[in-house]
Amino acid sequence: MAAVISIIIFALLLFMGCDQAKEKLRSNQPNFLILIADDASYRDFGCYGNNLISTPNIDQLADDGIRATNAFLTTPQCSPSRISVLTGKYAHATGAEDLHMPLPEDEKILPSYLKERGYYTGYLRKGHLGENGHKQFDWRSNDLNDLNKFLDTLNGAPFFMWVGFTDPHRPYHEDIIENPQSAAEVFVPPYLSDDPNTRDDLAMYYNYIRRMDQQIGSYVSLLENRKLRENTFIIFFSDNGAPFPREKGTLYDAGIETPYIISHTKTIEQGSVDNRLMSVIDLAPTVLDVAGIDIPTGMQGSSIKNMLYDFNLPGRDYVFSERNWHNCDEHIRAVRDNRFKLISN
């Protein structure tokens, strides 16, 4: 019976013609929408236990997929973090380990590999990758509201969209959101001074997270309206910790622990909570593996595709992070397991 079905499918593809056959195969490829917060702490979302901030759309993504509770970044700095994720390499191995360093001319990033498999790739708003990184995307826009325009250009191709939010990065301005957060309704970490100035600052930070959450909600609605939600992997994380002392730019957990949500309603068990040790170094090889593309030997991360479907598989034994130049030259390294961390200055 299986042989007969195969013959029928083969004949159908011949009848459809080469172009239509390719189109049919492309339509089965999963899409990827990658959402990167800018300077957001893992703790400052409703689904991660902060009941003082309203993030219903991000919380819904967690309800629709996997919420990782033990995920870490390779570096607590903006551009090195993003380049590390897109190359699948640690910051010092990318040639762009310092803040603002561009991706070297000989480095390939994730969209280039995906394009070889027929994907149409784009990024919105913040790239911070340098010219070689930016030009490896097919489509670019600085406007967060342009996802609809990007989807209009697909022509049936599977897509990879990288959305680099600038929220909740400083500077902060008043009146950016309706019903702004009250300074009385914020959580002050024990390493910050609990005074009016700190609370006002945290309230503004919360407001920018809420604005990002609203934008994410509009993206999900757009995918649903276009019948693309079911076959789109939506992955949400932050590039580093919150912009406060002992967080962003440090290798303490507050600087490198990240919210990490992976949602694909077609295949991933909804409402899953994953406590295994994870690193975003594995994101690029995982995307390639899910897309059916061979993982380049130069990538230092490993695919966690099977972990998404089998919670009995172990996570990482260790995660590694580093800090390099960020307005001052500090070379710091860290290794962490589920219980201990070693930081070397």
Side-chain angles (χ1 to χ4, degrees):
M1 184 64 179
V4 173
I5 293 173
S6 298
I7 292 171
I8 293 173
I9 292 174
F10 179 72
L12 179 61
L13 292 177
L14 288 177
F15 177 75
M16 291 168 62
C18 183
D19 290 341
Q20 287 177 290
K22 288 181 179 179
E23 182 69 23
K24 182 64 177 175
L25 291 172
R26 288 198 307 178
S27 68
N28 292 323
Q29 289 289 95
N31 306 305
F32 298 93
L33 176 62
I34 314 296
L35 307 169
I36 310 96
D38 198 356
D39 294 4
S41 169
Y42 69 96
R43 68 169 185 269
D44 291 324
F45 301 90
C47 58
Y48 280 92
N50 189 335
N51 58 11
L52 301 174
I53 186 169
S54 176
T55 54
N57 298 296
I58 293 170
D59 297 350
Q60 187 61 53
L61 284 182
D63 289 341
D64 290 340
I66 295 171
R67 175 174 61 87
T69 64
N70 212 9
F72 292 86
L73 302 159
T74 60
T75 180
Q77 306 159 268
C78 180
S79 58
S81 179
R82 294 161 188 257
I83 288 174
S84 176
V85 170
L86 283 167
T87 57
K89 297 180 179 181
Y90 292 100
H92 69 271
T94 66
E97 67 273 15
D98 294 343
L99 183 66
H100 306 313
M101 286 182 71
L103 182 76
E105 283 298 318
D106 59 346
E107 280 286 346
K108 286 177 66 174
I109 56 174
L110 191 52
S112 285
Y113 297 109
L114 289 165
K115 284 193 288 187
E116 295 170 2
R117 188 59 180 262
Y119 275 81
Y120 191 67
T121 66
Y123 81 79
L124 288 174
R125 196 68 177 100
K126 186 169 183 176
H128 212 172
L129 310 172
E131 181 54 32
N132 180 41
H134 297 158
K135 71 183 182 183
Q136 293 184 47
F137 291 86
D138 296 305
W139 187 96
R140 291 169 276 177
S141 173
N142 193 46
D143 190 339
L144 286 172
N145 296 311
D146 278 352
L147 180 60
N148 202 37
K149 292 181 180 179
F150 170 75
L151 296 176
D152 282 341
T153 64
L154 293 180
N155 195 28
F159 71 83
F160 172 87
M161 169 52 73
W162 174 272
V163 181
F165 291 99
T166 53
D167 291 341
H169 196 290
R170 298 175 186 276
Y172 298 145
H173 305 284
E174 300 289 345
D175 303 324
I176 62 100
I177 194 170
E178 292 183 7
N179 302 314
Q181 191 85 21
S182 165
E185 295 180 325
V186 298
F187 168 72
V188 182
Y191 43 82
L192 297 181
S193 174
D194 191 348
D195 59 35
N197 288 334
T198 300
R199 286 186 166 272
D200 287 343
D201 205 32
L202 281 166
M204 291 298 298
Y205 162 75
Y206 278 25
N207 288 336
Y208 277 72
I209 289 179
R210 289 169 59 203
R211 180 170 71 168
M212 176 179 62
D213 181 82
Q214 291 175 0
Q215 186 75 61
I216 289 173
S218 72
Y219 292 160
V220 175
S221 294
L222 179 59
L223 293 178
E224 290 173 345
N225 291 338
R226 285 177 170 260
K227 311 299 183 187
L228 292 170
R229 173 69 179 97
E230 185 181 56
N231 198 32
T232 299
F233 278 84
I234 302 179
I235 302 173
F236 172 75
F237 65 99
S238 179
D239 63 353
N240 48 246
F244 301 104
R246 197 183 168 86
E247 301 193 43
K248 176 181 179 178
T250 79
L251 296 184
Y252 300 119
D253 279 5
I256 57 172
E257 190 167 5
T258 181
Y260 199 30
I261 296 170
I262 303 174
S263 175
H264 186 241
T265 58
K266 188 175 182 179
T267 61
I268 290 179
E269 183 178 351
Q270 298 185 22
S272 302
V273 178
D274 196 331
N275 299 314
R276 291 171 292 187
L277 194 61
M278 294 185 183
S279 171
V280 296
I281 193 72
D282 297 328
L283 190 149
T286 301
V287 168
L288 293 178
D289 194 11
V290 169
I293 301 171
D294 291 338
I295 300 168
T297 56
M299 284 192 175
Q300 295 171 306
S302 302
S303 172
I304 63 167
K305 173 185 173 182
N306 293 334
M307 287 176 58
L308 303 179
Y309 310 111
D310 186 350
F311 287 85
N312 293 315
L313 293 175
R316 279 182 165 263
D317 293 325
Y318 304 98
V319 292
F320 300 91
S321 301
E322 61 187 88
R323 182 234 157 91
N324 298 292
W325 186 89
H326 190 124
N327 299 329
C328 59
D329 215 13
E330 294 181 351
H331 295 273
I332 309 173
R333 301 291 184 263
V335 57
R336 189 191 195 284
D337 65 9
N338 274 308
R339 186 177 178 191
F340 297 111
K341 172 184 279 183
L342 172 68
I343 298 178
S344 174
N345 293 293

